[in-house]
């Protein structure tokens, strides 16, 4: 999974957080390939949820600051995404094969990348617009 500047939203904090998700996911995939146990994926998943909650909070603060007109929709998307990522912890607890563990990681990643590519890209022009105004 490779970060690309095409995914940048133009806010340093948010772009750093988005990029860090890519790094963390790549690290856990590498660990799984070299035989890391379920506990490793579970601890990744726990940290990931904490980072995701912090990211959603920071992103919603940004959206409020730039008066993003679709704020409520975006916040609802965050809540739904958090619910589906959190629900994976039950699957993880019962996973007993590498295939299942990889599937959980893949589902987590897919949900996040889809959100970044579809929803986060929609607020990008409001972030750059607010920057232009402050110059
Ligand atoms: Fe985001
Ligand atoms: Fe978002």
């Amino acid at each position: 999974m490779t970060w690309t500047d095409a995914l940048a939203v133009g806010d340093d904090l948010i772009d750093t957080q988005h990029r860090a998700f890519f790094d963390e996911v790549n690290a856990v995939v590498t660990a799984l390939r070299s035989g890391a146990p379920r506990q490793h994926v579970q601890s990744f998943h726990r940290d990931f949820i904490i980072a995701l909650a912090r990211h959603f909070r920071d992103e919603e603060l940004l959206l409020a600051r730039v008066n993003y007109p679709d704020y409520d929709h975006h916040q609802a998307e965050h809540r739904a995404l958090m619910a589906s990522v959190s629900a994976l912890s039950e699957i993880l607890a019962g996973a007993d094969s590498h295939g299942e563990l990889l599937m959980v990681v893949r589902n987590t990643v897919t949900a996040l990348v889809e959100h970044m590519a579809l929803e986060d890209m929609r607020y990008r022009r409001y972030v750059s617009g607010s920057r232009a105004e402050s110059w």
Side-chain angles (χ1 to χ4, degrees), residues 9-29:
V9 299
D11 179 86
D12 287 343
L13 174 64
I14 299 302
D15 286 330
T16 302
Q17 290 172 338
H18 281 166
R19 218 176 294 132
F21 287 135
F22 278 72
D23 293 343
E24 286 154 22
V25 164
N26 284 332
V28 78
V29 169

Side-chain angles (χ1 to χ4, degrees), residues 25-38 40-41 98 101-102:
V25 164
N26 284 332
V28 78
V29 169
T30 304
L32 265 178
R33 287 206 180 114
S34 50
R38 180 177 63 198
H40 186 88
V41 183
H98 252 73
L101 293 174
L102 266 173

Side-chain angles (χ1 to χ4, degrees), residues 21 24-25 44-53 85 108 112:
F21 287 135
E24 286 154 22
V25 164
F44 157 79
H45 188 252
R46 268 194 300 271
D47 293 346
F48 188 83
I49 285 175
I50 293 167
L52 197 60
V85 171
T108 308
L112 183 73

Side-chain angles (χ1 to χ4, degrees), residues 55-56 59 74 78 115 119-120 123:
H55 169 66
F56 286 168
E59 199 173 78
H74 202 101
H78 281 173
H115 177 80
E119 297 296 332
D120 287 354
Y123 72 67

Side-chain angles (χ1 to χ4, degrees), residues 62-126:
L62 170 70
L63 297 186
R65 212 159 61 227
V66 301
N67 293 314
Y68 182 52
D70 229 5
Y71 179 92
D72 290 345
H73 168 78
H74 202 101
Q75 191 179 48
E77 289 285 327
H78 281 173
R79 290 203 181 122
L81 185 54
M82 181 54 91
S84 70
V85 171
S86 302
L88 291 173
S89 62
E90 278 181 42
I91 298 175
L92 266 184
D96 47 20
S97 72
H98 252 73
E100 275 182 89
L101 293 174
L102 266 173
M103 188 200 74
V104 173
V105 172
R106 201 175 296 135
N107 286 350
T108 308
V109 172
T110 305
L112 183 73
V113 170
E114 274 179 9
H115 177 80
M116 284 201 282
L118 297 174
E119 297 296 332
D120 287 354
M121 287 303 103
R122 292 179 57 211
Y123 72 67
R124 181 161 59 167
R125 66 193 177 96
Y126 294 89

